[in-house]
Amino acid sequence: MTTTDTTTDLEDFRLRVRDFLARNAKRVDAAGDEESQDGETVDYLTGARVWQNSLFDAGFSGLSWPKEYGGQSLTMHHQRVFNEEANGYVMPSSPFMVTLGMCAPTLLQYGTEEQRRTHVPKMLRGDEIWCQLFSEPGAGSDVAGLTTKAVRDGDEWVINGQKVWTSGAHFADYGLIVTRTNPEVPKHKGITMFIVDMKSPGVTVRPLRQMSGGSGFNEVFFDDVRVPAANLVGEIDNGWMAAIGTLMNERVSIGAGGGGLGRGTGTAQFDRLAELATKVGRIDDGAARTELASIYVEERLLAILSERMRAGLKAGKAPGPEGSIAKLSGSELGRRVADMAMSLLAESGQAWTDGEDDSLHWAQTLLGSPGGAIAGGTPEIMRNILGERSLGLPKEPQVDRDIPFKDTRTN
Amino acid sequence: MSDMSEEREALRGAVADYLDANFPIDTVHRIANGKESVAADEWSKVAQGLGLAGLVIPEEFGGQGAGFGELGVVLQEFGRTLAPLPMLSSAALGTLPFLLSTDDAVRRPYLEALAAGSAPAALALTEESDSWPQAPQATTAVQSGDHWHVSGAKHYVLDNGGATFYVVSAATAHGIGLFVVDGADVVRTELHAIDLTRPQANIAFDQAPAVALVVHVGDELTRLQDLAAILVSSEQLGGADAVMRMFVEYAKIRVQFGRIIGSFQAIKHMCANTLVEVEKARGAAEDAADRAAEGEPDLALAASLAKVATSEAYTNATLTNIRVHGGIGYTWEHPAHLYFRRSRSTSALFGTPAEHREALLVGLGY
Ligand SMILES: Cc1cc2nc3c(=O)[nH]c(=O)nc-3n(C[C@H](O)[C@H](O)[C@H](O)COP(=O)(O)OP(=O)(O)OC[C@H]3O[C@@H](n4cnc5c(N)ncnc54)[C@H](O)[C@@H]3O)c2cc1C
């Protein structure tokens, strides 16, 4: 196949995708609910890996990513065609969101050639799952306030400290970790990023339970964990750049479904809500119609924005602060969808008997929605980024930007 | 401060002391997780000690003879602490129908048992697909000789895990009545509830022997529901106020970017917006409770106003609580979700905000 996206080429491609999906993927309705990201059971994980393997082996993983790193070097038009065809199919891609949406792009941009060749193809194939080891108990919105230490010892670095809220650490093979390597300089200037093998001695993963009941995130402790110097990503003490890269990718990823995951382009949430409104006899109710229509509009706007954002990504650009628009819009949409479902279900949204699957589904949606708003940066942080970086407004007063990290105020 | 409000504050203080000592939020959380349970005699102890079980029951039946204003204050405290006792379910909602009844011979034994805390009741009005206000559609009561039997089902009953008796609304040949059914004569199905701190059940009964409490309830059924909505609003107000305090406290201690997060205008404004909503809701809920206390004949507008205001203030405040806490607020261990869940549950019960908005317009003649 050539990389020129002539009409025939795209049509051929569409037929190949259609055929592949028909033979390998499950329809959304036949499979019931697409599992939430909460917890991720062993069965789900195994199934997801098998799916990602088959996607890769058939040449549909990393469509717009470079061939030398396992991708297909195709265009965003191909990605779009894939997404269109994937509508209505279950895409068990959530275990790979951090891997492909955040970690792989960071390696492509800041990693060594060796790191890219070793890991990216395995990431695309679902053989390696990665996690993002950024947040700490004292450093969430302010990741640059992190205190996990890395100290050089010959050809190795020794890491000590604690990370928290690490999604998927309980099943991840590797993690991207940011560490403090120089506390004598201002906080953004003494941070270094490494690849850490999650099976290394001294790594302890403890699951944390979310308010929705599942255990999708963890606390991760590092006790004298040794990492080869070759695992350095970017430059020593200049890891903040790479970290910003990961975070910007994360916002696109959470808000817009990036990373070549084949996210659908449809209006899945609207569809399901409209179905619910019909079922409960409220589809002719004026107030319900207005809200439903607004949700359709928001979901489509986000889909279009996402499409354009992903197209921008392909052009080799690192995502800009605009990822925050998607992140912000996505969490607001999530809240509205959950609220509307609760309003439609009335009493039956807050209690149910066995078998009342709508109630269960929407209760889970409701209980997951606050997490979606916080993960990857809170709405307040997104607004600060848009105001300061996209619009150039004066920065919030920063009390600790220019003083040595060791002199800053922490919790 | 007037005598009345001084008395209310004294009552609030006594109830708060008891609840804080016995049901701190960690204990409530452990109970919700099934790791601890409430002592079987706790409610009757509370009945004897603080007199809460019979707070609004007239003294001649062993109660305290207090009014809805006092009840509202106590419910705020229960809303604040989420204490898993049948204060709302029995001492408030379950007691209401017995206050409506004027037949002392029938109601006396129930009221005395309620006041003693020995036999909690539950109010069961809701059926499968109700709007607001609710009228029985499928539950019927049939009289044969001196005896009544009821058949049907009620949903989303707050019964604290199983009531000694249930008051159900049922259609008779002549209208709608309120009937008392023994807990032993219903089939109870515990529901999976979003609210982990308060059990809910569906109950079904077939030809269950029943005592006619009010044979023709007429317009009083609406009043009963308005009172129920007002009482739920009081409880919601207490919860909204509690979560606001929780996140304001946190906003004063959490440091990010070298600053206390409450010094960021975004956070400060979230806190202030909540204060605005909570104070307006407080006005509406306390006004409605006062109107009920004064025996105002038509409570519909006040009830709907209160229920809309407290439901929305509470659901918004619980989400803000999680958001101000960040990741920690999204965990199971943190109490934020217990309130988030309670707010969602009470918002849907006894009329959703959407249903009460509609009721308001209808009540205003539109
Ligand atoms: C479901 C979930 C999954 C996650 N997965 C991961 C993961 O895989 N890896 C990882 O590293 N992290 C992960 N996180 C962590 C997430 O990135 C942080 O929770 C988030 O950045 C907020 O940090 P925090 O929890 O410390 O809250 P804080 O930063 O303490 O924020 C508390 C409040 O203060 C506000 N605030 C802070 N600074 C400002 C400011 N400058 N201006 C205005 N308001 C401000 C916040 O908006 C928030 O309302 C996850 C979180 C969740 C909920």
Side-chain angles (χ1 to χ4, degrees), chain A residues 180 182-191 237 403-406:
Chain A
R180 172 87 36 212
N182 187 352
E184 305 295 330
V185 293
K187 62 181 187 177
H188 296 98
K189 302 200 167 120
I191 291 174
D237 287 349
I403 55 175
F405 176 73
K406 61 179 173 41

Side-chain angles (χ1 to χ4, degrees), chain A residues 38 136-143 165 187 208-213 217 282 335 338-339 342-343 346-354 356 363 366-374 378-381 383 396-400 409-411, chain B residues 33 126-128 130-131 134 156 189-195 200 202 253-260 263-267 270 316 319 322-323 325-333 337 340-341 344-346 348-352 354-355:
Chain A
D38 272 18
E136 298 182 2
S141 297
D142 180 20
V143 190
W165 323 128
K187 62 181 187 177
L208 292 170
R209 202 168 169 203
Q210 285 132 240
M211 64 176 259
S212 48
F217 57 22
R282 292 269 304 281
R335 189 185 64 77
D339 278 352
M342 286 296 124
S343 174
E347 291 102 329
S348 66
Q350 58 86 47
W352 56 92
T353 51
D354 287 330
E356 287 185 89
L366 172 73
L367 293 169
S369 62
I374 298 165
T378 66
E380 293 70 48
I381 296 303
R383 291 192 175 96
E396 285 268 325
Q398 286 178 313
V399 295
D400 64 357
R409 176 176 185 184
T410 50
N411 283 284
Chain B
N33 284 326
T126 308
E127 296 192 2
E128 181 121 45
D130 264 322
S131 56
Q134 306 160 334
Y156 315 113
T189 309
E190 177 111 9
L191 300 177
H192 304 286
I194 241 181
D195 184 353
Q200 255 178 76
N202 288 350
I253 56 167
R254 172 72 169 169
V255 175
Q256 288 290 275
F257 302 97
R259 289 169 55 180
I260 303 274
S263 75
F264 296 121
Q265 223 169 51
I267 296 297
M270 279 160 84
N316 289 340
L319 181 59
I322 295 171
R323 299 255 297 255
H325 279 86
I328 191 83
Y330 185 61
T331 59
W332 185 268
E333 282 67 28
H337 73 109
F340 181 87
R341 291 162 178 272
R344 291 295 172 160
S345 171
T346 48
L349 295 172
F350 298 96
T352 64
E355 287 165 346

